[in-house]
Amino acid sequence: MPACVRHPDRPTGLRCTRCDRPACPECLREASVGYQCVDCVNEGRRTIRHGTTIAGAPSAQRPVVMPVLVVLNLGVFAITAAQAGSIVRNQLSELFVDWMLVPALVSQGEWWRLITAGFLHYGPVHIALNMIALYLLGRDLEPVLGRVRFTAVYLVSLLGGSVAVFLFGGLLTPVAGASGAVFGLMGGLAVVVLRLRIPPGPVLGIIALNVFISVTVPGISLLGHLGGLVVGAIATAAMVYAPRQSRTAWQVGTIATLVVVLVSLIFIRDAALGQLVCDFRSGVCFEVDG
């Protein structure tokens, strides 16, 4: 009998059904028809085309970024609650004061607040509602977009909501919360539903309900919600409607363009405000000459 091609000291009467080379039982793997040698199995794995989503992400990926974001937000909330000695009045903590979005302070050079404010929350109810929404939206959206694209949409939506507050909000009105990013995911999910030609009624109804709540309930930042919603929808549209031949370049270019536009708006607004002096007790800001 011929010897196994991988083990010359082992005579065998078996052969690979794909390459017809002699192979011992140790070197054979069960296939859909007969048995194939390990070399043919490995070659087949390299040549198999794996499925992708409409955004170009590998199919059947489990959400990873979404739970990380939830844990990160919960961790920041725990730190602020520990510093303040209260989970209800955690906004009194030093970290909260240093990170919350106050347009007047951003204009004075504290630009990090545009991002850090998206990881702060006022009390347990606020963070519970946002984290539940983040879980439900991320559970459906991250597998479609993929981890990197989902992260990009989340962060650019967060920035979009903060920039809207900086452009049109009160100079001394503090704003915090992941709502801008969450609304961006809502807008993204609506775009995905339209792209897949699924009836959009339920998703659009949820968005309309949340916008209505943002308008009618005091203390909610409508500007942050709408800014995140618009930016998130645009970013997701670039992900799922990008031409297949230049998908990556199209997606990266759109996200980069959004970031450049948002940063440019920050500079324009900052220049328009000039040099400010603010009295936080009276809630008054006024411009002074250089």
Side-chain angles (χ1 to χ4, degrees):
M1 291 188 293
C4 172
V5 293
R6 294 172 61 88
H7 301 96
D9 59 330
R10 300 180 186 178
T12 178
L14 304 176
R15 290 181 176 273
C16 171
T17 55
R18 183 172 180 177
C19 66
D20 199 38
R21 296 185 302 170
C24 67
E26 183 181 339
C27 296
L28 292 173
R29 301 291 183 269
E30 187 174 3
S32 56
V33 179
Y35 290 82
Q36 295 182 5
C37 65
V38 291
D39 295 329
C40 289
V41 170
N42 293 332
E43 178 65 23
R45 288 174 179 172
R46 287 193 295 268
T47 57
I48 291 175
R49 295 183 61 185
H50 299 281
T52 58
T53 67
I54 54 174
S59 58
Q61 274 194 338
R62 296 180 60 184
V64 171
V65 178
M66 176 270 292
V68 169
L69 289 172
V70 171
V71 171
L72 183 58
N73 279 274
L74 292 174
V76 173
F77 179 80
I79 294 173
T80 58
Q83 288 182 347
S86 171
I87 63 172
V88 178
R89 298 176 59 83
N90 65 302
Q91 69 270 23
L92 301 178
S93 74
E94 180 181 352
L95 182 65
F96 202 104
V97 173
D98 291 339
W99 280 15
M100 65 182 179
L101 173 56
V102 181
L105 296 179
V106 173
S107 179
Q108 293 175 5
E110 299 182 8
W111 290 9
W112 66 83
R113 295 175 181 269
L114 294 167
I115 298 297
T116 57
F119 296 92
L120 299 173
H121 294 85
Y122 291 97
V125 175
H126 188 203
I127 190 169
L129 292 176
N130 274 345
M131 293 304 100
I132 291 172
L134 174 56
Y135 168 77
L136 295 175
L137 293 167
R139 179 188 61 183
D140 294 334
L141 195 57
E142 184 178 342
V144 176
L145 298 181
R147 295 162 187 169
V148 175
R149 296 172 182 84
F150 178 81
T151 303
V153 171
Y154 184 90
L155 293 178
V156 77
S157 299
L158 189 157
L159 181 61
S162 295
V163 170
V165 173
F166 180 61
L167 292 177
F168 307 110
L171 290 176
L172 293 178
T173 303
V175 177
S179 302
V182 169
F183 265 74
L185 298 184
M186 286 187 193
L189 186 59
V191 171
V192 169
V193 166
L194 292 173
R195 175 67 174 82
L196 294 175
R197 299 181 180 179
I198 299 173
V203 176
L204 297 179
I206 293 174
I207 294 175
L209 176 61
N210 279 274
V211 171
F212 175 77
I213 294 174
S214 302
V215 173
T216 56
V217 177
I220 296 180
S221 176
L222 176 63
L223 291 172
H225 291 180
L226 293 180
L229 179 68
V230 172
V231 172
I234 295 174
T236 306
M239 302 296 177
V240 300
Y241 285 101
R244 184 183 298 271
Q245 295 78 7
S246 56
R247 177 181 284 159
T248 301
W250 181 276
Q251 294 169 344
V252 173
T254 301
I255 295 296
T257 301
L258 284 173
V259 172
V260 170
V261 170
L262 293 173
V263 172
S264 299
L265 291 174
I266 295 172
F267 276 104
I268 293 171
R269 173 62 169 166
D270 190 48
L273 289 175
Q275 186 174 349
L276 294 175
V277 172
C278 297
D279 184 351
F280 288 89
R281 292 184 178 180
S282 62
V284 175
C285 287
F286 57 92
E287 184 178 351
V288 297
D289 296 331

